[in-house]
């Protein structure tokens, strides 16, 4: 956020802006007009001004000035010139004003240097002011008539300010009066400087402190130089101001709320939303900052006299007394605001902080209770059009050093909710409690990389869609989204697209082939074929001489130039003596190494790519032992001539990754990788028989849950429980295949650059089951010499897909994006692409998952599990978020957020820290681009502050 802070304002919303912004976005679109009707310190308008057309208002003059400065900041060149001109005038004026009080100034400086508090107190008592009994010499009438720019000198010297400090304030005001452009900036710098040097509690100005009771603070405050703070803030304005002037000028009002609501020019401006942060208590803001209004008006006001004495705070006559800070009138004023918004069809977002524990925290000073406010909103707008959000917060308490635990309520009242009104908070809580799983009769029958947990997808479908909605997945992979959406119980419609044939083959098999075929008969016949192949795995039992049956062989793979396997152990079953382990004999080597059939599987050369462990001369047969490659050839010879080819191909597909050479953990996530030592060969016959049993169980599950489900060939044929599957690059989807504005929800898992090379992995399957794959149109980064796909191409194609999604998905509906990458530059590119296509980031949730390959190798920097990102389709290009914070300042915020998470939850992994608030903070505040210029990953920051516990793969507080 690029806000320049002027005052330490009570109720300032700076830290709450991500919370407020997230919820008001449900009701408005980029460019809409928003009114911040109690602008206070200007925080809200300044935070939102890059996305919306802002109107600001406040009854307090100083607030009007601050909002004018923050919203309509001139260019840095203009401010630099303003600083030069102001400084010249200030220096000339200061000399004249100081000369009038040389003796007093000299004494004050001497006593301050000696830190002589008693002498200072006596000095201020003797200095002639309107408050210390010298009113016969110094009176308001004569001061006002002469206007020698000595208001602060004779009103507030010795109380709020020192003598010399007061002269500097008068001098700044005189110099501002001599200028006619951009004076709001100078006033704001003065307000900031006054709040920094004032001798009062917490920087507000309700009343000065007692000199005798606060000697150390008195000396400290009197020593502070007004102009140091003035120029500090002016330089900050120059640093953070735009390089060129914006033509757009935001409108600022300085009016009482009732007068404003009756102003025709105000309510004729097509305001979409009013944000209201009214006073909560009977404490008047004009009391806390009355000196700022005195400075801005500079009319030598009459001080208030009660019982013949000036008030302790030296308040002036005619000070604004807000009806919102009076219990007798607050409710009536707020009711008029509610009624105004309802009558003019304006959404109202009202912030209200209220104690969490009303039994332990007093509420007697609150002018309206939160219950009264909510009831008022529901009575006027109707219960269905009022939404209550709340956030835990700590309020500063000026009467006590201890902060107050409160709920920051946001009461949202709208004629209609403009954005998707899904309860993401409830969804996120459910996801957080969910134990993700792929253990399901369907997904137990095959393998697919990065397969999503079906129960997570179910949760998204249930919360974010309704019956008859179309759910679209442009990168459907194994088809989890499609299969879950068209279950009988949901009555949804699904559309999936994938570049390769295998995803469509999986869904077709589940919906059409498996339930419509007599699997028992097919498998009985197939079993008779497998029976004849069992001899490939026969071995002689060294204990009893009987024939045993091999289940697994552990071996070392030979170097290519030395074609010699080294068998280390054989696991087998002897039906006679029950032995199960042996060393190899000569016949074992012969059966293992003999390739006696290779006529039915094309031994294709693999695409070289060191990233996925494929060498220059590697072929399909190199991925298998000679024995297993021979067995597969014989199986293929049968399947190719079978009438049940589709079912048997599905069965074979499900075990290919296990029948190749693998490691002792069957690490199937690397389909083209094979180890060099401690390799494992598995018995293909056993693998197929186990999978046949899984398929028989799967059929029963499908019949129970998918009896109404069908696949169709065109969009026009889609009805509930039906799905359309497209096999092509999603970047080529046209309006005939999927009409614009037809999709209600997108759930997808796009390819993560070079992390999973799906089409290259398909090389393992194509020779066996004939499914085609598409290298040309795949959206991926690959270093393979024959395709060379770089980052620029990847992000360009991804942009094309999301541009298509923007048109297909209904406006204001949601896209759930599974995405994980530790690299901040990748996040920047992704968010920029999505925002340029009108997808506004809303929130994020971490989904736990078992270890991935990358996590096994590099647990510190890899992101174990999934992150679901929630985006809303605004259909409008969103402006790039900018921030004035340096990478160092953002890094400090990352540290604070991570520290808070670790304190709350204990040790956390890298992805948990990413997903449980830090990335949401970086994206929401527009800090992502800036932090990525300094740090490649957040791990670089975590390493500076926290301890990495390698044994559990988590970060620990120092």
């Amino acid at each position: 956020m690029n806000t320049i802070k002027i005052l330490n304002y009570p109720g300032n919303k700076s830290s709450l802006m991500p919370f407020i912004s997230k919820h008001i976005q449900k009701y408005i679109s980029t460019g809409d007009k928003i009114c911040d009707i109690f602008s206070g310190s200007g925080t809200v308008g300044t935070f939102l001004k890059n996305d919306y057309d802002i109107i600001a208002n406040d009854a307090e003059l100083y607030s009007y000035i601050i909002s004018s400065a923050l919203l309509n900041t001139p260019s840095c060149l203009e401010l630099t010139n303003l600083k030069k001109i102001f400084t010249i005038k200030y220096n000339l004026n200061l000399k004249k004003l100081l000369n009038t009080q040389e003796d007093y100034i000299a004494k004050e400086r001497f006593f301050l240097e000696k830190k002589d508090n008693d002498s200072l107190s006596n000095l201020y008592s003797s200095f002639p002011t309107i408050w210390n009994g010298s009113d016969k010499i110094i009176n308001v009438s004569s001061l006002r008539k002469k206007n020698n720019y000595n208001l602060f000198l004779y009103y507030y010297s010795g109380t709020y300010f020192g003598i010399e400090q007061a002269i500097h304030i008068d001098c700044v005001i005189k110099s501002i009066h001599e200028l006619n452009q951009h004076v709001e900036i100078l006033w704001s710098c003065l307000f900031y400087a006054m709040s920094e040097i004032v001798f009062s509690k917490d920087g507000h100005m309700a009343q000065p402190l007692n000199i005798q009771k606060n000697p150390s603070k008195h000396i400290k405050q009197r020593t502070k130089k007004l102009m140091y703070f003035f120029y500090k803030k002016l330089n900050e304005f120059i640093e953070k101001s735009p390089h060129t002037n914006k033509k757009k000028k935001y409108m600022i009002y300085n009016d009482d709320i009732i007068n404003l609501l009756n102003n025709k020019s105000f309510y004729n401006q097509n305001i979409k939303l009013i944000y209201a942060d009214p006073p909560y208590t009977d404490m008047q803001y004009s009391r806390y900052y009355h000196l700022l209004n005195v400075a801005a008006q500079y009319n030598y006001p009459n001080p208030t006299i009660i019982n013949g004495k000036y008030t302790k705070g030296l308040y002036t006559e005619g000070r604004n007394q807000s009806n919102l800070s009076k219990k007798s009138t607050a409710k009536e004023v707020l009711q008029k605001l509610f009624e105004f918004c309802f009558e003019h069809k304006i959404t109202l977002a009202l912030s209200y902080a209220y104690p969490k524990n009303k039994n332990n925290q007093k509420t007697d000073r609150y002018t309206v209770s939160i219950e009264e406010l909510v009831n008022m909103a529901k009575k006027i707008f109707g219960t269905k059009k009022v939404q209550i959000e709340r956030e835990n917060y700590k309020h500063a308490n000026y009467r006590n050093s201890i902060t107050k635990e409160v709920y920051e309520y946001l009461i949202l009242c709208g004629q209609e909710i403009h954005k998707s009104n899904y309860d993401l908070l409830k969804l996120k809580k459910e996801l957080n409690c969910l134990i993700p799983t792929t253990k399901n009769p369907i997904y137990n029958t095959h393998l697919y990389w990065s397969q999503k947990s079906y129960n997570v997808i179910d949760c998204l479908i249930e919360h974010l869609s309704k019956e008859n909605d179309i759910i679209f997945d442009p990168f459907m992979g194994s088809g989890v989204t499609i299969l879950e959406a068209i279950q009988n119980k949901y009555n949804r419609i699904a559309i999936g697209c994938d570049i390769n044939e295998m995803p469509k083959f999986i869904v077709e098999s589940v919906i059409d082939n498996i339930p419509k075929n007599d699997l028992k008969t097919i498998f009985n016949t197939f079993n008779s074929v497998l029976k004849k192949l069992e001899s490939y795995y026969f071995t002689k039992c060294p204990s009893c001489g009987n024939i045993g049956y091999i289940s697994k062989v552990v071996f070392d793979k030979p170097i290519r130039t030395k074609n010699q396997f080294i068998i280390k152990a054989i696991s087998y079953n002897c039906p006679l003596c029950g032995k199960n382990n042996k060393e190899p004999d000569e016949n074992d080597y012969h059966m293992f190494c003999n390739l006696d059939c290779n006529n039915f599987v094309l031994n294709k050369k693999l695409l070289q790519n060191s990233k996925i462990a494929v060498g220059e001369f590697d072929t399909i047969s190199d991925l298998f032992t000679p024995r297993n490659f021979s067995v597969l050839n014989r199986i293929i010879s049968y399947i190719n001539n079978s009438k049940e080819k589709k079912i048997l191909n599905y069965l074979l597909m499900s075990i290919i990754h296990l029948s190749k050479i693998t490691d002792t953990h069957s690490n199937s996530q690397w389909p083209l990788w094979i180890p060099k030592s401690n390799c494992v060969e598995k018995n293909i016959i056993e693998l197929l028989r186990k999978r046949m049993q899984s398929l028989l169980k799967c059929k029963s599950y499908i019949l129970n849950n998918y009896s109404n489900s069908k696949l169709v060939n065109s969009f026009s044929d889609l009805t509930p429980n039906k799905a359309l599957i497209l096999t092509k690059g999603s970047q080529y989807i046209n309006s005939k295949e999927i009409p614009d504005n037809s999709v209600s929800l997108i759930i997808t898992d796009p390819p993560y650059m070079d992390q999973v090379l799906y089409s290259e992995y398909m090389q393992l399957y194509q020779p066996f089951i004939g499914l085609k794959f598409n290298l040309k149109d795949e959206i991926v980064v690959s270093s393979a010499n024959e395709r060379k796909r770089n980052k620029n191409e990847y992000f360009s194609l991804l942009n094309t897909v999301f541009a298509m999604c923007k048109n297909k998905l209904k406006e204001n509906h949601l896209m759930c994006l599974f995405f994980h990458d530790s690299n901040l530059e990748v996040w920047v590119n992704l968010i920029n692409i999505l925002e340029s296509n009108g997808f506004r980031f809303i929130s994020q949730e971490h989904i736990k998952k078992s270890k991935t390959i990358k996590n096994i190798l590099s647990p510190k920097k890899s992101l174990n599990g999934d992150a679901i990102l929630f985006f809303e389709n605004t259909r409008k290009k969103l402006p790039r978020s900018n921030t004035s914070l340096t990478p160092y300042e953002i890094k400090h915020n990352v540290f604070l957020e991570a520290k808070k998470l670790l304190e709350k939850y204990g040790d956390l992994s890298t992805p948990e820290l990413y997903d449980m608030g830090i990335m949401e903070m970086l994206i929401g505040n527009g800090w992502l681009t800036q932090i990525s210029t300094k740090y490649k990953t957040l791990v670089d920051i975590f390493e500076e502050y926290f301890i990495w516990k390698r044994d559990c793969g988590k970060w620990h507080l120092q």
Side-chain angles (χ1 to χ4, degrees):
M1 185 173 63
N2 201 23
T3 301
I4 297 172
K5 186 177 179 180
I6 305 298
L7 300 174
N8 185 23
Y9 208 66
N12 184 285
K13 291 294 180 285
S14 180
S15 61
L16 285 164
M17 281 314 301
F19 162 72
I20 293 167
S21 177
K22 177 173 71 174
H23 290 297
I24 67 173
Q25 286 170 8
K26 299 175 184 177
Y27 298 82
I28 49 177
S29 297
T30 304
D32 282 348
K33 192 165 286 187
I34 297 177
C35 174
D36 181 7
I37 206 162
F38 304 105
S39 59
S41 61
T43 297
V44 174
T46 310
F47 185 96
L48 299 173
K49 71 177 184 178
N50 289 331
D51 291 337
Y52 308 104
D53 187 0
I54 303 297
I55 297 173
N57 172 70
D58 204 283
E60 295 296 328
L61 178 59
Y62 69 86
S63 288
Y64 163 81
I65 291 170
I66 291 171
S67 286
S68 299
L70 295 176
L71 289 173
N72 294 320
T73 307
S75 69
C76 55
L77 179 60
E78 286 181 287
L79 286 183
T80 303
N81 291 333
L82 177 69
K83 179 182 176 182
K84 291 177 182 177
I85 298 168
F86 168 82
T87 302
I88 293 169
K89 291 184 178 295
Y90 168 78
N91 288 333
L92 289 172
N93 291 326
L94 182 63
K95 188 175 182 181
K96 296 176 185 177
L97 294 178
L98 288 175
N99 286 341
T100 64
Q101 306 295 336
E102 284 182 342
D103 291 342
Y104 282 105
I105 292 170
K107 290 178 181 178
E108 184 183 47
R109 288 176 179 174
F110 178 77
F111 296 143
L112 281 172
E113 187 177 346
K114 297 295 183 182
K115 298 183 179 180
D116 188 344
N117 194 61
D118 291 336
S119 296
L120 275 172
S121 181
N122 292 331
L123 175 68
Y124 295 142
S125 296
S126 65
F127 183 76
T129 63
I130 63 169
W131 56 268
N132 67 356
S134 304
D135 54 325
K136 294 179 181 178
I137 305 169
I138 304 295
N139 61 75
V140 172
S141 176
S142 62
L143 290 174
R144 186 184 297 149
K145 188 174 182 180
K146 294 177 182 178
N147 189 15
N148 289 327
Y149 284 94
N150 48 22
L151 188 159
F152 274 79
L153 176 66
Y154 290 128
Y155 275 57
Y156 306 116
S157 290
T159 54
Y160 288 101
F161 306 102
I163 296 168
E164 189 170 3
Q165 288 175 330
I167 290 173
H168 279 275
I169 294 171
D170 287 324
C171 183
V172 170
I173 294 171
K174 184 177 190 319
S175 305
I176 291 174
H177 284 173
E178 292 170 357
L179 296 166
N180 57 14
Q181 261 194 324
H182 310 311
V183 293
E184 293 86 359
I185 303 290
L186 299 174
W187 281 118
S188 297
C189 294
L190 176 61
F191 296 162
Y192 168 74
M194 287 170 65
S195 70
E196 289 294 314
I197 70 169
V198 68
F199 181 49
S200 64
K201 188 175 181 181
D202 300 315
H204 67 74
M205 303 164 188
Q207 60 188 39
L209 292 170
N210 185 291
I211 293 175
Q212 299 303 326
K213 292 181 179 179
N214 300 275
S216 58
K217 182 165 185 176
H218 179 241
I219 298 295
K220 178 184 177 183
Q221 290 303 103
R222 294 290 192 247
T223 309
K224 289 182 177 179
K225 305 298 183 185
L226 178 92
M227 297 315 292
Y228 166 79
F229 294 103
F230 179 90
Y231 281 115
K232 177 184 176 182
K233 191 57 60 176
L234 182 54
N235 289 333
E236 186 181 352
F237 267 107
I238 293 171
E239 181 186 342
K240 294 180 178 179
S241 60
H243 291 288
T244 57
N245 261 335
K246 293 183 178 180
K247 294 180 181 179
K248 174 71 182 175
K249 291 289 183 183
Y250 297 102
M251 188 168 290
I252 322 290
Y253 289 90
N254 176 211
D255 213 340
D256 174 79
I257 181 174
I258 300 301
N259 293 336
L260 185 70
L261 298 181
N262 290 327
N263 186 337
K264 285 187 178 180
S265 69
F266 171 72
Y267 62 72
N268 285 336
Q269 292 191 62
N270 193 29
I271 296 169
K272 296 292 185 184
L273 181 143
I274 289 178
Y275 173 76
D277 181 22
Y280 311 134
T281 69
D282 59 4
M283 294 181 285
Q284 294 281 351
Y285 279 74
S286 62
R287 176 172 174 263
Y288 282 102
Y289 294 103
H290 64 107
L291 293 188
L292 305 184
N293 284 336
V294 170
Q297 292 164 337
Y298 211 77
N299 57 1
Y300 295 86
N302 291 317
T304 301
I305 298 175
I306 299 177
N307 297 327
K309 294 182 179 180
Y310 293 118
T311 55
K312 192 172 182 180
L314 296 173
Y315 307 123
T316 58
E317 292 291 336
R319 179 168 58 89
N320 177 53
Q321 300 288 300
S322 172
N323 285 328
L324 286 160
S325 293
K326 300 174 185 177
K327 290 186 179 182
S328 60
T329 53
K331 195 183 298 185
E332 179 186 350
V333 175
L334 288 171
Q335 182 161 332
K336 288 183 178 179
L337 175 60
F338 280 111
E339 289 171 346
F340 175 87
C341 292
F342 179 77
E343 179 186 348
H344 294 280
K345 297 183 178 179
I346 297 171
T347 298
L348 174 64
L350 189 141
S351 281
Y352 209 73
Y354 208 68
K356 289 173 87 170
N357 190 328
K358 287 177 279 187
N359 294 324
N360 296 338
Q361 293 174 267
K362 292 182 179 180
T363 60
D364 56 313
R365 303 203 69 172
Y366 283 79
T367 55
V368 183
S369 72
I370 186 63
E371 292 82 7
E372 289 174 313
L373 271 179
V374 172
N375 289 336
M376 187 188 301
K378 290 181 177 179
K379 184 177 179 180
I380 294 170
F381 281 85
T383 302
K384 291 184 178 180
K385 293 181 180 177
V386 176
Q387 187 172 341
I388 313 298
E389 305 290 347
R390 73 180 189 184
E391 183 94 334
N392 289 316
Y393 196 58
K394 291 183 179 180
H395 258 192
N397 185 351
Y398 286 139
R399 291 177 170 267
N400 197 316
S401 59
I402 301 173
T403 56
K404 294 191 297 184
E405 294 277 347
V406 299
Y407 283 126
E408 182 72 25
Y409 289 92
L410 188 63
I411 304 172
L412 296 150
C413 315
Q415 296 302 311
E416 67 175 284
I417 295 178
H418 183 63
K419 303 288 180 181
S420 303
N421 187 25
Y422 299 113
D423 189 350
L424 279 184
L425 186 62
K426 185 177 179 182
L427 168 61
K428 289 178 69 175
K429 283 182 179 178
E430 189 169 320
L431 288 171
N432 190 256
C433 297
L434 202 64
I435 299 174
T437 179
T438 55
K439 300 302 180 184
N440 169 293
I442 292 176
Y443 310 114
N444 289 343
T445 65
H446 69 266
L447 169 127
Y448 202 87
W449 312 278
S450 303
Q451 183 168 277
K452 299 303 149 197
S453 301
Y454 76 91
N455 56 342
V456 172
I457 300 296
D458 282 352
C459 195
L460 297 176
I461 291 170
E462 289 168 1
H463 281 270
L464 304 180
S465 68
K466 58 184 184 298
E467 288 192 358
N468 303 316
D469 276 352
I470 294 178
I471 298 167
F472 174 42
D473 186 348
F475 301 102
M476 63 178 273
S478 63
V480 178
T481 298
I482 309 307
L483 289 170
E484 293 308 302
I486 61 172
Q487 291 182 84
N488 296 343
K489 64 180 179 179
Y490 288 138
N491 291 317
R492 272 42 163 198
I493 301 166
I495 302 176
C497 183
D498 202 280
I499 199 168
N500 297 315
E501 288 186 350
M502 186 186 282
K504 184 176 183 180
F505 173 70
I506 291 172
V507 176
E508 281 182 338
S509 297
V510 171
I511 300 302
D512 286 339
N513 300 332
I514 294 173
K516 292 177 181 177
N517 281 281
D518 182 356
L519 296 190
K520 287 185 178 179
T521 301
I522 294 171
F523 291 163
N524 283 337
T525 304
F526 187 51
N527 243 323
S528 64
V529 175
L530 298 180
K531 186 74 175 174
K532 297 175 182 177
L533 300 176
E534 286 179 352
S535 58
Y536 275 94
Y537 300 99
F538 287 166
T539 185
K540 185 177 180 181
C541 177
S543 297
C544 67
N546 193 38
I547 297 297
Y549 191 51
I550 294 172
S551 59
K552 183 174 72 175
V553 176
V554 179
F555 64 97
D556 287 343
K557 190 174 179 292
I559 301 171
R560 182 173 294 278
T561 54
K562 298 178 181 179
N563 191 23
Q564 181 63 48
F565 291 95
I566 300 173
I567 298 176
K568 294 181 171 180
I570 296 175
S571 297
Y572 73 103
N573 176 53
C574 177
L576 188 62
C577 68
K579 295 292 185 181
N580 52 25
N581 283 294
K582 64 169 286 190
E583 292 184 359
D585 55 32
E586 186 177 341
N587 187 63
D588 289 325
Y589 266 104
H590 173 75
M591 295 301 296
F592 182 87
C593 299
N594 184 34
L595 178 64
D596 69 352
C597 180
N598 62 356
N599 302 326
F600 303 99
V601 177
L602 183 61
N603 191 22
K604 297 183 71 171
K605 182 177 178 297
L606 299 171
L607 204 65
Q608 182 188 0
N609 188 344
S610 59
K611 173 77 179 179
I612 53 174
V614 179
E616 183 180 357
F617 304 104
D618 288 350
T619 63
I620 285 293
S621 63
D622 290 324
L623 303 178
F624 300 87
T625 62
R627 169 165 52 199
N628 273 6
F629 196 62
S630 298
V631 172
L632 286 170
N633 267 273
R634 295 199 180 278
I635 290 171
I636 292 297
S637 71
Y638 170 77
I639 291 176
N640 286 344
N641 294 306
S642 172
K643 293 179 181 179
E644 289 79 27
K645 185 174 180 179
K646 288 183 178 180
I647 288 292
L648 295 177
N649 270 340
Y650 185 86
L651 180 67
L652 182 62
M653 175 207 71
S654 70
I655 60 98
I656 288 288
H657 64 288
L658 297 172
S659 59
K660 74 178 185 67
I661 299 171
T662 183
D663 61 2
T664 53
H665 301 290
S666 296
N667 202 333
S668 55
Q669 289 282 354
W670 285 342
L672 302 182
W673 169 84
I674 53 175
K676 293 180 180 178
S677 60
N678 292 322
C679 307
V680 174
E681 176 204 59
K682 292 187 176 181
N683 183 322
I684 291 176
I685 312 301
E686 285 187 350
L687 293 173
L688 286 168
R689 285 174 174 159
K690 286 179 182 178
R691 195 64 85 188
M692 281 189 272
Q693 293 303 311
S694 297
L695 272 173
L696 289 170
K697 292 178 183 178
C698 176
K699 179 176 179 178
S700 176
Y701 179 87
I702 293 170
L703 290 173
N704 287 331
N705 292 278
Y706 292 88
S707 58
N708 299 325
S709 304
K710 293 181 181 178
L711 298 182
V712 299
N713 296 318
S714 68
F715 183 89
S716 60
D717 296 327
L718 285 171
T719 56
N721 306 114
K722 292 182 180 178
L724 171 66
I725 308 296
L726 304 173
T727 303
K728 63 190 308 184
S730 290
Q731 62 268 36
Y732 300 121
I733 292 175
N734 57 50
S735 57
K736 184 178 180 181
E737 291 165 323
I738 306 177
D740 291 350
N741 206 40
S742 61
V743 173
S744 296
L745 174 66
I746 292 177
I747 302 174
T748 196
D749 180 20
Y752 303 164
M753 293 184 54
D754 61 351
Q755 290 186 30
V756 184
L757 304 177
Y758 294 94
S759 292
E760 290 181 47
Y761 287 175
M762 293 299 169
Q763 295 177 96
L764 173 64
Y765 296 87
Q766 196 272 334
F768 299 97
I769 52 179
L771 296 174
K772 295 178 182 177
F773 55 89
N774 185 341
L775 293 168
K776 179 184 175 184
D777 298 322
E778 187 179 21
I779 301 175
V780 74
V781 174
S782 174
S783 58
N785 290 329
E786 297 179 42
R787 59 192 311 221
K788 287 290 183 185
R789 304 299 294 272
N790 60 38
K791 286 184 183 179
N792 291 336
E793 290 174 288
Y794 168 81
F795 286 116
S796 176
L797 289 171
L798 210 57
N799 180 63
T800 305
V801 173
F802 288 125
M804 176 273 298
C805 289
K806 170 188 69 177
N807 295 325
K808 307 309 174 192
L809 183 64
K810 294 175 182 176
E811 187 176 357
N812 309 320
H813 283 60
L814 298 185
M815 175 169 68
C816 305
L817 196 71
F818 288 84
F819 190 82
H820 246 186
D821 200 301
S822 60
N823 191 315
L824 295 175
E825 183 187 355
V826 175
W827 278 91
V828 170
N829 284 316
L830 176 71
I831 297 300
N832 285 345
I833 285 172
L834 289 163
E835 288 183 345
S836 69
N837 285 296
F839 285 101
R840 186 196 300 278
F841 175 79
I842 299 175
S843 190
Q844 177 179 354
E845 185 60 35
H846 177 72
I847 305 295
K848 298 178 179 67
K849 193 179 180 182
S850 58
K851 288 185 177 180
T852 61
I853 302 162
K854 191 175 178 186
N855 186 261
I856 292 166
L857 291 179
S858 179
K860 188 188 287 188
K861 291 194 176 182
S862 64
L863 297 189
N864 171 28
D866 282 318
I868 303 180
L869 314 181
F870 298 96
F871 292 89
E872 186 171 30
N873 186 17
T874 69
R875 291 269 180 90
K876 297 176 182 177
K877 183 177 180 180
L878 301 175
R880 290 282 177 90
S881 299
N882 295 312
T883 179
S884 62
L885 295 187
T886 64
Y888 177 80
E889 290 171 316
I890 298 171
K891 178 185 82 167
H892 185 65
N893 279 284
V894 170
F895 157 67
L896 291 177
E897 185 67 18
K899 182 173 178 285
K900 183 173 75 174
L901 290 169
L902 291 169
E903 287 172 343
K904 183 175 181 179
Y905 298 105
D907 296 348
L908 294 172
S909 64
T910 298
E912 285 171 331
L913 286 174
Y914 265 74
D915 298 344
M916 292 169 70
I918 295 181
M919 288 307 299
E920 193 164 330
M921 175 187 72
L922 292 174
I923 297 168
N925 287 316
W927 296 343
L928 196 54
T929 300
Q930 185 77 327
I931 192 71
S932 71
T933 62
K934 182 72 175 176
Y935 301 99
K936 184 176 181 180
T937 74
L938 296 182
V939 172
D940 302 334
I941 299 173
F942 301 155
E943 286 176 329
E944 289 188 41
Y945 299 105
F946 310 119
I947 297 169
W948 173 249
K949 297 172 73 174
R950 183 174 294 276
D951 57 334
C952 62
K954 293 192 174 187
W955 295 97
H956 180 75
L957 280 173
Q958 299 232 20

